[in-house]
Amino acid sequence: MGTLASVTGLLALIVFGVTGDARFDGLGAMIIGTFLGFFSLILLVAIKDLLVGRGAAPEMERQIYQAAASVIGVKKVLSIRTLYMGPEKLLIHIDVQLQNGLITQEIEKIIATIKDNVKYWVKRAAEIKVEVHKTPQPSGPGNHLT
């Protein structure tokens, strides 16, 4: 981009020097401005994902979903959010609902298994966060606050 602008400017100055017509200098400046504007737009489109953040491809998110849902004790995968932190590091946030009646050690083991499964299937996983949500209790007599 810079080389093309410099060569265009040099050519415009040479033509101006030979002819003495200042319009060639102005025309060269307008062409350089157009080049820079055009290449800036191309660059902006190319790096937009790096500026605003980019998630994993749908196929990779399906692998993450399957890796989490296949763990015994996981009742439902509620959501998966992914974000690339640089070109190769992937941040993964998984919201899961577990079966009822589990004790703390079982929950911790399930979370560790989810993380291990995801790391096995997604090599770019740099950080995995698993958030457990309670199973909603059915409303009925005695299950609501007054």
Side-chain angles (χ1 to χ4, degrees):
M1 179 169 69
T3 304
L4 183 61
S6 297
V7 169
T8 303
L10 180 63
L11 289 175
L13 284 175
I14 289 172
V15 173
F16 166 65
V18 170
T19 63
D21 191 351
R23 291 183 292 182
F24 288 110
D25 185 36
L27 181 62
M30 288 190 300
I31 292 172
I32 291 170
T34 303
F35 283 155
L36 293 177
F38 177 72
F39 286 121
S40 295
L41 287 175
I42 290 174
L43 187 62
L44 183 64
V45 169
I47 65 169
K48 179 188 77 106
D49 288 340
L50 297 175
L51 294 173
V52 297
R54 174 176 57 107
E59 177 60 33
M60 188 176 292
E61 286 191 356
R62 278 192 291 278
Q63 287 178 333
I64 295 167
Y65 180 89
Q66 290 171 351
S70 67
V71 175
I72 295 172
V74 174
K75 188 174 186 179
K76 184 178 182 181
V77 177
L78 300 173
S79 69
I80 295 173
R81 291 182 296 282
T82 59
L83 179 67
Y84 273 99
M85 308 290 286
E88 293 294 322
K89 292 183 180 179
L90 184 64
L91 171 67
I92 301 171
H93 183 102
I94 306 169
D95 292 322
V96 295
Q97 192 176 72
L98 301 181
Q99 295 173 352
N100 292 331
L102 298 172
I103 61 173
T104 303
Q105 290 83 3
E106 293 171 324
I107 293 171
E108 290 173 353
K109 185 177 179 187
I110 290 169
I111 290 172
T113 305
I114 291 171
K115 289 180 179 183
D116 290 342
N117 281 2
V118 171
K119 284 181 184 177
Y120 177 79
W121 289 105
V122 181
K123 304 300 184 208
R124 294 180 176 180
E127 184 176 337
I128 303 168
K129 181 178 179 198
V130 178
E131 190 170 328
V132 177
H133 293 271
K134 287 184 177 181
T135 303
Q137 298 297 322
S139 59
N143 285 342
H144 62 283
L145 299 174
T146 55

